Amino acid sequence: MSDTIFIKGVSVHAHHGALDHEGHVGQRFVIDLELTADISEASRSDRLADTVSYANVVATAIAAFKDANYKLVERAAGAVAEAVLTAFPKISTIKVTVHKPHAPIAAIFDDVGVILVRSRK
């Protein structure tokens, strides 16, 4: 059985980017997480111990995202996926979406970013 927990719209100021000014000034990123886990016991027990703490997942994701200044959002998203899978054994798969709304692109655009899906081995 697999169930889904989602967390959308986590805003984080970080210093990721291939251009020098992105590493110095930083910018806002938005992270969405989709977690696959068996939470059937929590659906019966109503106990936090039987599910995954949203607050702890967010804290882990933010810490991993801000841990280093990456040139690529792909690497920053990978760091989030690795950290969350390591910290939360109940999670079997994670989908990490990183939006970079102020990417230095010479065009008018609504959104740009990456989506990574990683599963426990």
Side-chain angles (χ1 to χ4, degrees):
M1 178 179 299
S2 64
D3 304 307
T4 301
I5 295 170
F6 66 90
I7 303 164
K8 295 188 179 215
V10 178
S11 290
V12 180
H13 186 270
H15 299 266
H16 307 310
L19 303 178
D20 286 341
H21 75 275
E22 292 178 295
H24 295 296
V25 175
Q27 61 191 290
R28 183 176 73 94
F29 296 85
V30 180
I31 303 170
D32 301 330
L33 303 170
E34 193 170 295
L35 316 168
T36 302
D38 182 354
I39 54 174
S40 57
E41 185 60 32
S43 73
R44 292 186 294 275
S45 72
D46 198 29
R47 294 179 344 155
L48 182 58
D50 294 330
T51 191
V52 177
S53 166
Y54 311 156
N56 293 346
V57 168
V58 168
T60 300
I62 289 172
F65 194 79
K66 294 178 82 170
D67 184 46
N69 295 351
Y70 301 112
K71 293 192 184 316
L72 303 177
V73 292
E74 291 85 345
R75 178 61 193 116
V80 169
E82 293 163 10
V84 171
L85 284 175
T86 298
F88 301 93
K90 287 185 181 189
I91 297 172
S92 58
T93 302
I94 183 169
K95 178 179 174 182
V96 180
T97 303
V98 176
H99 306 264
K100 189 174 179 180
H102 304 292
I105 299 172
I108 297 170
F109 60 94
D110 286 334
D111 201 8
V112 65
V114 299
I115 300 171
L116 280 176
V117 178
R118 299 291 181 263
S119 295
R120 190 174 300 288
K121 303 238 186 243

